[in-house]
Amino acid sequence: MHLNPLQECIQPEGDTNFKNLLHKIGEVCEKLPVPVIVKEVGNGISASMAEKLINVGVNAIDVAGAGGTSWAMVESERANNYLRSELGKTFANWGISTADCINDISHQFPDIPLIASGGIRNGLQIAKLLALGTDVVGLAYPFLKAAIESTEAIDQFIELLNAEIKTALFCTGNKDVNSLQKSSCLRKIN
Ligand SMILES: Cc1cc2nc3c(=O)[nH]c(=O)nc-3n(C[C@H](O)[C@H](O)[C@H](O)COP(=O)(O)O)c2cc1C
């Protein structure tokens, strides 16, 4: 099941039939013996959508918010006609930012496990999202970029992410990531 209506609108071969999707997600949750994670693809999940997902039995949410990889823009680049190319550009930044999604959902539903992805580019952003209430952070584009370069570039990037997270922990007086999740001061720091 896909949660990418915007991308499907712009894709020439797009399938815009999302009828009864929430109900179908509920059926999957009911029948599968394993926990179900619902994930967006770069436009974010609002607190009211999170509520609907939680009510049908979803166990965790990857908000995949706006601000990073844009499938509208990818489809605009792929488009072979004016209409789709321009439609993709208009909606390139469509969505709720990852930070807003995490902030809003974690306030209303503190017990639902959250994954923050979409536009995360460094360890300081990771630390801030952990302080905002996410449990896990996901990055796609920066790893893809490094992977195109070399294996060493991936190692170097991971090392930098670690150093950035540790620096954020040290400068806020938090001994580990768990204590960061309970600390409010990082939320106010630039
Ligand atoms: C090359 C590529 C392929 C992806 N394929 C999928 C996919 O099949 N399903 C999905 O839910 N998300 C997919 N994503 C989205 C990522 O999992 C993630 O939500 C998003 O790209 C994270 O944002 P970022 O790229 O700005 O870090 C893909 C991302 C990239 C870069």
Side-chain angles (χ1 to χ4, degrees):
M1 290 175 189
H2 285 149
L3 261 77
N4 64 341
L6 175 59
Q7 182 182 11
E8 300 290 340
C9 285
I10 301 159
Q11 242 175 15
E13 66 276 19
D15 177 355
T16 50
N17 182 1
F18 284 85
K19 209 171 166 190
N20 288 329
L21 186 63
L22 190 63
H23 176 72
K24 288 174 189 166
I25 291 172
E27 279 186 341
V28 169
C29 296
E30 221 177 275
K31 289 179 186 160
L32 278 186
V34 292
V36 172
I37 302 174
V38 163
K39 176 183 174 301
E40 233 282 348
V41 298
N43 307 295
I45 291 184
S46 65
S48 63
M49 182 49 66
E51 182 172 21
K52 289 178 186 162
L53 293 169
I54 294 165
N55 286 343
V56 297
V58 167
N59 304 95
I61 296 171
D62 181 340
V63 301
T69 299
S70 162
W71 293 101
M73 209 48 214
V74 170
E75 295 303 338
S76 168
E77 292 288 329
R78 277 185 71 218
N80 52 11
N81 67 48
Y82 169 81
L83 189 141
R84 290 183 193 283
S85 168
E86 291 303 313
L87 190 60
K89 283 182 205 160
T90 303
F91 285 87
N93 300 313
W94 168 271
I96 310 169
S97 80
T98 302
D100 281 342
C101 294
I102 295 296
N103 192 38
D104 295 352
I105 301 174
S106 68
H107 261 99
Q108 285 194 43
F109 308 101
D111 296 331
I112 184 87
L114 288 176
I115 303 167
S117 73
I120 316 310
R121 298 293 174 259
N122 61 51
L124 177 55
Q125 289 174 328
I126 293 174
K128 285 184 172 189
L129 284 159
L130 289 164
L132 276 181
T134 197
D135 299 278
V136 175
V137 180
L139 296 77
Y141 171 76
F143 279 104
L144 192 60
K145 195 169 158 239
I148 289 167
E149 215 179 296
S150 64
T151 308
E152 291 72 37
I154 299 175
D155 291 342
Q156 214 176 31
F157 180 58
I158 293 172
E159 206 181 325
L160 175 61
L161 287 178
N162 269 321
E164 288 165 340
I165 295 168
K166 280 183 183 162
T167 304
L169 287 174
F170 182 73
C171 292
T172 53
N174 285 292
K175 71 176 183 346
D176 55 27
V177 165
N178 286 340
S179 55
L180 187 63
Q181 285 171 315
K182 295 179 193 89
S183 124
S184 60
C185 88
L186 195 54
R187 297 176 199 178
K188 296 177 191 146
I189 292 174
N190 285 326

Coordinates of all heavy atoms in Angstrom, one line a residue, residues 39-41 64 68-69 71 117-119 121 139-142 144, ligand 1:
K39 N 4.3 4.7 6.8 CA 5.3 5.7 6.4 C 4.8 6.6 5.2 O 4.3 6.0 4.3 CB 6.6 4.9 6.0 CG 7.7 5.8 5.5 CD 8.9 5.0 5.0 CE 9.9 5.9 4.3 NZ 9.3 6.6 3.2
E40 N 5.0 7.9 5.4 CA 4.8 8.8 4.2 C 6.0 8.8 3.3 O 6.9 8.0 3.6 CB 4.5 10.2 4.8 CG 3.2 10.8 4.3 CD 3.3 11.4 2.9 OE1 4.3 11.5 2.4 OE2 2.2 11.7 2.3
V41 N 6.0 9.6 2.3 CA 7.2 9.6 1.4 C 7.8 11.0 1.2 O 8.4 11.2 0.1 CB 6.8 8.9 0.1 CG1 6.4 7.5 0.3 CG2 5.8 9.7 -0.7
A64 N 8.1 11.0 7.5 CA 8.6 11.4 6.2 C 8.1 12.7 5.7 O 7.4 12.8 4.7 CB 8.4 10.3 5.2
G68 N 12.9 17.6 2.3 CA 14.0 16.8 1.7 C 13.7 16.3 0.4 O 13.1 17.1 -0.5
T69 N 13.9 15.0 0.1 CA 13.6 14.4 -1.2 C 12.2 14.7 -1.5 O 11.3 14.4 -0.7 CB 13.9 12.9 -1.1 OG1 15.3 12.7 -0.8 CG2 13.6 12.2 -2.4
W71 N 9.3 13.8 -4.2 CA 8.8 13.0 -5.3 C 8.1 13.8 -6.3 O 8.0 13.4 -7.5 CB 8.1 11.7 -4.8 CG 9.0 10.9 -4.0 CD1 9.2 10.8 -2.6 CD2 10.1 10.1 -4.5 NE1 10.2 10.0 -2.3 CE2 10.8 9.5 -3.5 CE3 10.5 9.8 -5.8 CZ2 11.9 8.7 -3.7 CZ3 11.6 8.9 -6.0 CH2 12.2 8.4 -4.9
S117 N 11.8 11.2 9.3 CA 12.7 11.3 8.1 C 12.1 12.4 7.2 O 11.0 12.8 7.4 CB 12.7 9.9 7.4 OG 11.5 9.6 6.7
G118 N 12.9 12.8 6.2 CA 12.5 13.8 5.3 C 13.3 15.1 5.6 O 13.0 15.8 6.5
G119 N 14.4 15.3 4.8 CA 15.2 16.5 4.9 C 16.2 16.6 6.1 O 16.8 17.7 6.3
R121 N 19.7 16.3 7.5 CA 21.0 16.4 6.8 C 22.2 16.3 7.8 O 23.3 16.2 7.3 CB 21.1 17.7 6.0 CG 20.0 17.7 4.9 CD 20.2 16.7 3.8 NE 19.2 16.6 2.8 CZ 18.2 15.7 2.8 NH1 18.2 14.8 3.8 NH2 17.3 15.6 1.9
L139 N 17.6 9.0 7.3 CA 18.1 9.8 6.2 C 18.3 9.0 5.0 O 18.8 7.9 5.1 CB 19.5 10.4 6.6 CG 19.7 11.3 7.8 CD1 19.6 10.6 9.1 CD2 21.0 12.1 7.7
A140 N 17.9 9.5 3.9 CA 18.0 8.8 2.6 C 19.0 9.5 1.7 O 20.1 9.0 1.4 CB 16.7 8.6 1.9
Y141 N 18.6 10.7 1.3 CA 19.4 11.5 0.3 C 20.9 11.6 0.6 O 21.8 11.3 -0.2 CB 18.8 12.8 0.0 CG 19.6 13.7 -0.8 CD1 19.7 13.5 -2.2 CD2 20.4 14.8 -0.3 CE1 20.5 14.3 -3.0 CE2 21.2 15.6 -1.0 CZ 21.3 15.4 -2.4 OH 22.1 16.2 -3.2
P142 N 21.2 12.0 1.9 CA 22.7 12.2 2.2 C 23.5 10.9 2.0 O 24.6 10.9 1.6 CB 22.7 12.7 3.6 CG 21.3 13.1 3.9 CD 20.4 12.3 3.0
L144 N 22.7 8.4 0.0 CA 22.7 8.1 -1.5 C 23.8 8.9 -2.1 O 24.6 8.4 -2.9 CB 21.4 8.4 -2.1 CG 21.1 8.0 -3.5 CD1 21.2 6.5 -3.6 CD2 19.7 8.4 -3.9
Ligands
LIG1 C1 16.3 6.7 -4.1 C2 15.2 6.7 -3.0 C3 14.2 5.7 -3.1 C4 13.2 5.7 -2.1 N1 12.2 4.8 -2.2 C5 11.2 4.8 -1.3 C6 10.2 3.7 -1.3 O1 10.2 2.9 -2.1 N2 9.2 3.8 -0.4 C7 9.2 4.8 0.6 O2 8.3 4.8 1.4 N3 10.1 5.7 0.6 C8 11.1 5.7 -0.3 N4 12.1 6.7 -0.2 C9 11.9 7.8 0.8 C10 12.8 7.7 1.9 O3 12.6 6.5 2.6 C11 12.6 8.8 3.0 O4 11.3 8.9 3.4 C12 13.0 10.1 2.4 O5 13.6 10.1 1.2 C13 13.8 10.7 3.5 O6 14.1 12.0 3.2 P1 15.5 12.5 2.7 O7 15.8 11.7 1.4 O8 15.3 13.9 2.5 O9 16.5 12.1 3.7 C14 13.1 6.7 -1.1 C15 14.1 7.7 -1.1 C16 15.1 7.7 -2.0 C17 16.2 8.8 -2.0

